[in-house]
Amino acid sequence: MTTTKKINLLDYTSEDLKAFFLERGEKPFRATQIIKWIHQHGVDNFDDMSNVSKALREDLQSIAEIRAPEVAIDEKSEDGTHKWLLRLDDGNCIEAVFIPEDGRGTLCISSQVGCALDCTFCSTARQGFNRNLTVGEIIGQLWLAKKILQPDPESDRVISNVVMMGMGEPLLNFEKVVKAMELMLDDNAYGLSKRRVTLSTSGVVPALDKLRDRVDVSLAISLHAPNDALRDQLVPVNRKYPIKQLLESCMRFMDGKAAREKITIEYVMLDKVNDSDENARELITLLKDVPVKVNLIPFNPFPETRYKRSSNNRIYRFREILESGGLIVMTRKTRGEDIDAACGQLAGKVNDKSRREIHFARIES
């Protein structure tokens, strides 16, 4: 006897749910009801949806479910950073990280199992690439974190910002990531401002060119080098989409946006690799006409890496040069190192059943 696999409603946006209910002879407003129950109230039992008819609840119970990834490990850092190792249905694992700060709480979520881009300074890249996540597996990280951190859905918002900056390259899972971000922005789901949802990419130009037409969110670019020769070594996707092409795409993305809106340039500080005074001056020249703010990221070492973190004095000097050249600069505070939760350390405890292969994933058409 075979059982039919149930539909996971976490995979559905508002528009998807409207179409789903129309096919079943229900009114479109049912989609709004269900979206609110799932994402605003964190409900995963149809019997708890009190304003939904009993007949519809029974129908949904027979064909659908609300299923987020399972928490395998739950760790909390001394600095308040929270990390979850999440197990998927196929046994693969991903990680999500929550970083609390004064006036904001940022959730960093994954878009893929592993990563295909093989950036040489990144711990996650050492795993290689397994597969893309589904919409439900992506938004499920936010659904689950909200349920854990904010058990009373009527209390003040705990997660104020979401960044697609965990495991994987978001633009190589374009359609699923876009749908998940649509849910983040949906007033009937999470209602986050477009300025508080950020997609971080290493620079997959064709997908970046499509992004603006699909969803309006903030953009972060993992640059990490001021010239192609060095970036080719650190971020191999640069060999396919070099810096000039990437920045031209960034300018297209920002066309028509308000002057206050900026792209965040992420720049990991690697000792004696990309942190010289000359590198800083190159970066000024490279970015002088691009609406950006620069985020300097102290490197987080991991086992067997050949890189070292730039000294605090070197980072200060690098920042000083950039600011003297007119750039807006921030230095990221290192968080969650005691639980391997800092940027670039998301791979440590992941064990997959499937063999991983390092390759460039094909952008979904």
Side-chain angles (χ1 to χ4, degrees), residues 112-168:
Q112 297 179 312
V113 181
C115 186
L117 296 191
D118 199 24
C119 297
T120 58
F121 56 85
C122 179
S123 176
T124 304
R126 297 175 65 208
Q127 300 175 62
F129 173 76
N130 185 294
R131 68 171 176 85
N132 287 326
L133 299 184
T134 65
V135 177
E137 289 167 341
I138 298 169
I139 203 67
Q141 296 167 68
L142 175 54
W143 184 90
L144 190 61
K146 181 184 175 187
K147 198 175 182 71
I148 293 170
L149 299 171
Q150 189 184 339
D152 178 4
E154 303 302 320
S155 64
D156 291 341
R157 189 193 295 268
V158 176
I159 300 170
S160 62
N161 296 65
V162 177
V163 290
M164 300 296 308
M165 202 181 291
M167 297 171 64

Side-chain angles (χ1 to χ4, degrees), residues 267 269 274-277 279-281 283-284 294-298 311-333:
Y267 196 98
M269 297 297 293
N274 66 349
D275 64 350
S276 69
D277 289 2
N279 292 147
R281 287 188 282 268
L283 200 57
I284 292 169
V294 179
N295 190 8
L296 301 180
I297 306 170
S311 69
N312 289 340
N313 286 341
R314 179 91 298 262
I315 294 173
Y316 178 82
R317 171 63 179 161
F318 198 89
R319 174 173 180 164
E320 192 176 50
I321 294 172
L322 295 184
E323 289 178 332
S324 69
L327 293 176
I328 302 168
V329 188
M330 307 165 289
T331 302
R332 181 181 296 177
K333 184 187 297 184

Side-chain angles (χ1 to χ4, degrees), residues 301-313:
F302 54 88
E304 299 179 16
T305 181
R306 66 179 183 270
Y307 296 111
K308 296 180 180 179
R309 177 184 300 176
S310 302
S311 69
N312 289 340
N313 286 341

Side-chain angles (χ1 to χ4, degrees), residues 65-313:
E65 62 184 344
I66 300 152
R67 188 182 70 258
E70 172 193 353
V71 176
I73 298 175
D74 185 339
E75 295 183 324
K76 191 171 183 179
S77 168
E78 292 180 358
D79 63 23
T81 299
H82 212 124
K83 182 183 75 172
W84 298 277
L85 185 72
L86 305 176
R87 183 174 291 112
L88 309 177
D89 286 349
D90 61 1
N92 283 315
C93 290
I94 55 173
E95 294 193 19
V97 178
F98 175 71
I99 304 171
E101 299 175 278
D102 291 340
R104 64 190 284 165
T106 301
L107 182 69
C108 181
I109 63 180
S110 299
S111 56
Q112 297 179 312
V113 181
C115 186
L117 296 191
D118 199 24
C119 297
T120 58
F121 56 85
C122 179
S123 176
T124 304
R126 297 175 65 208
Q127 300 175 62
F129 173 76
N130 185 294
R131 68 171 176 85
N132 287 326
L133 299 184
T134 65
V135 177
E137 289 167 341
I138 298 169
I139 203 67
Q141 296 167 68
L142 175 54
W143 184 90
L144 190 61
K146 181 184 175 187
K147 198 175 182 71
I148 293 170
L149 299 171
Q150 189 184 339
D152 178 4
E154 303 302 320
S155 64
D156 291 341
R157 189 193 295 268
V158 176
I159 300 170
S160 62
N161 296 65
V162 177
V163 290
M164 300 296 308
M165 202 181 291
M167 297 171 64
E169 164 53 61
L171 291 183
L172 290 180
N173 188 12
F174 187 85
E175 292 295 337
K176 304 299 190 295
V177 165
V178 165
K179 284 196 168 191
M181 292 192 300
E182 287 174 348
L183 280 166
M184 296 172 199
L185 301 173
D186 189 335
D187 287 339
N188 292 318
Y190 298 94
L192 292 169
S193 159
K194 65 182 182 181
R195 293 183 293 109
R196 294 182 177 272
V197 176
T198 301
L199 182 142
S200 174
T201 176
S202 293
V204 184
V205 169
L208 180 55
D209 282 338
K210 292 198 300 181
L211 185 66
R212 168 103 189 244
D213 294 334
R214 292 292 303 277
V215 63
D216 190 7
V217 294
S218 295
L219 181 65
I221 299 295
S222 295
L223 190 65
H224 309 306
N227 59 67
D228 284 326
L230 180 54
R231 195 166 191 262
D232 284 351
Q233 299 173 37
L234 299 177
V235 187
V237 72
N238 194 73
R239 300 167 194 163
K240 190 169 187 180
Y241 307 114
I243 292 174
K244 183 175 184 292
Q245 287 185 31
L246 174 56
L247 293 183
E248 287 172 348
S249 181
C250 287
M251 293 300 289
R252 290 190 291 271
F253 183 87
M254 296 300 289
D255 184 42
K257 291 184 180 287
R260 68 177 181 277
E261 296 188 47
K262 308 289 184 188
I263 296 170
T264 299
I265 296 294
E266 296 162 352
Y267 196 98
V268 66
M269 297 297 293
L270 303 170
D271 183 46
K272 297 180 177 58
V273 175
N274 66 349
D275 64 350
S276 69
D277 289 2
E278 178 58 28
N279 292 147
R281 287 188 282 268
E282 282 185 282
L283 200 57
I284 292 169
T285 301
L286 184 69
L287 300 176
K288 62 183 175 65
D289 296 321
V290 186
V292 299
K293 54 186 177 182
V294 179
N295 190 8
L296 301 180
I297 306 170
F299 174 62
N300 297 295
F302 54 88
E304 299 179 16
T305 181
R306 66 179 183 270
Y307 296 111
K308 296 180 180 179
R309 177 184 300 176
S310 302
S311 69
N312 289 340
N313 286 341

